[in-house]
Amino acid sequence: KKSGLRGRGGAGFPIGFKLESAKNTKATTKFIVCNADEGDPGAYSDRYLMEERPHTLLLGMILAGYAVGAEWGILYVRKEYPESIRILEKAISEIRDLGYTGSSILNSGFNFNFKIIKGQGAYICGEETALLSSIEGQRPEVRIRPPFPTQEGLFNLPTVVNNVETLASLPFIIKNGGEAFDKIGTEKSSGTKLISLDSFFNRPGIYEVDMGTPLKTVIDNLGGGFKRPVKAMHIGGPLGGLVPVSKINELSIDFESFAENGFLLGHASI
């Protein structure tokens, strides 16, 4: 909670509140669900983390499980990422052999096991309650809230759902302290954000910037500008709207700046 970490998948909801709610809900079984159904056009930051930093993600899920008393970590990965699934399976096997997952991790009495579920290409499963219905084998439809997933989620049991980038931020916070994370970025949007720049930029790729970085810096200094003149940018997926190029000087990479101008930072794919 001190870190101010907010969900990196789109809504920007503080993860501390989710973890606390699930922790305070009494149940014999609880779940940590990683939403890796990355479906926004031009977004591939979660894929990068799963394939290049899988152990960071897995450790983040274990830490979240320890915080709330959950013994299961479920990774819901979109089927268009077969390499991600293969690399995660290998990483899980590696840490199991080292005793970092399974029964009584490091003789602590804490159990945590992983399960990977392959999505079937439904965009709606990017929404957390539809994703939970999909895992249960039901039609993936958005559920009415309340109750919230942290109280009645997967199989009506307490469940914390967060995307890959959010969960992968937890190891840094636990190692360095919440205050260290909170010092990065802005007052209400702390930490860093991964940005996906597509092939229409002169220097496409994944970039990590402090929250609050001007959008102009991202486009001109990091992306090297556009290959050809454009009228608008598609930021944060279908729900994010189209951002006219005239807005480039007014926006910065944080939740508040985009919301105040009627847009959504979302996944921060551009």
Side-chain angles (χ1 to χ4, degrees):
K1 289 175 78 175
K2 286 179 183 175
S3 76
L5 173 62
R6 296 170 63 178
R8 298 311 200 228
F13 191 81
I15 188 174
F17 287 102
K18 283 188 178 182
L19 294 171
E20 188 173 49
S21 175
K23 176 181 183 291
N24 293 336
T25 303
K26 286 184 169 59
T28 54
T29 304
K30 300 178 183 181
F31 300 97
I32 302 297
V33 174
C34 175
N35 182 350
D37 195 52
E38 182 175 52
D40 287 350
Y44 47 93
S45 52
D46 285 352
R47 179 180 182 180
Y48 172 84
L49 288 170
M50 287 188 284
E51 296 180 9
E52 299 294 334
R53 300 288 186 274
H55 300 93
T56 304
L57 168 61
L58 297 178
L59 178 56
M61 293 180 69
I62 293 170
L63 291 168
Y66 185 77
V68 306
E71 294 193 358
W72 281 98
I74 298 173
L75 296 121
Y76 188 99
V77 187
R78 68 182 302 210
K79 71 170 184 177
E80 292 89 349
Y81 288 173
E83 297 93 344
S84 298
I85 294 170
R86 179 175 51 78
I87 290 168
L88 285 169
E89 286 174 342
K90 181 172 180 284
I92 292 169
S93 179
E94 286 170 356
I95 66 170
R96 184 181 294 115
D97 290 343
L98 292 167
Y100 297 143
T101 183
S103 300
S104 192
I105 297 170
L106 301 178
N107 298 318
S108 63
F110 170 61
N111 310 322
F112 198 81
N113 293 284
F114 288 98
K115 182 177 179 64
I116 295 176
I117 292 178
K118 183 168 68 173
Q120 295 301 317
Y123 180 76
I124 189 62
C125 289
E127 197 281 331
E128 64 178 15
T129 61
L131 182 151
L132 296 177
S133 293
S134 174
I135 294 174
E136 293 174 355
Q138 301 185 55
R139 183 184 177 93
E141 292 181 328
V142 178
R143 299 178 183 179
I144 296 170
R145 283 170 286 199
F148 293 95
T150 55
Q151 295 159 326
E152 291 183 30
L154 189 61
F155 304 115
N156 293 322
L157 292 164
T159 306
V160 174
V161 185
N162 273 109
N163 91 313
V164 175
E165 187 179 349
T166 316
L167 291 163
S169 299
L170 293 180
F172 175 91
I173 292 167
I174 298 301
K175 182 179 179 182
N176 299 287
E179 293 86 351
F181 190 88
D182 187 49
K183 284 179 183 174
I184 306 168
T186 69
E187 184 182 354
K188 292 184 178 178
S189 297
S190 59
T192 63
K193 182 76 190 79
L194 291 180
I195 310 244
S196 307
L197 301 184
D198 72 6
S199 58
F200 215 85
F201 287 88
N202 286 308
R203 287 196 297 271
I206 295 277
Y207 294 90
E208 184 175 17
V209 301
D210 290 357
M211 283 285 201
T213 299
L215 180 59
K216 183 173 177 59
T217 300
V218 172
I219 290 168
D220 293 344
N221 297 12
L222 301 180
F226 305 110
K227 289 181 177 176
R228 294 198 305 277
V230 299
K231 293 181 179 179
M233 298 157 292
H234 195 195
I235 301 180
L239 299 176
L242 294 170
V243 180
V245 290
S246 60
K247 284 280 187 182
I248 288 176
N249 291 323
E250 299 174 34
L251 292 169
S252 57
I253 304 297
D254 57 81
F255 300 110
E256 286 67 42
S257 171
F258 273 71
E260 287 164 5
N261 284 275
F263 305 114
L264 189 72
L265 178 63
H267 225 79
S269 53
I270 305 178

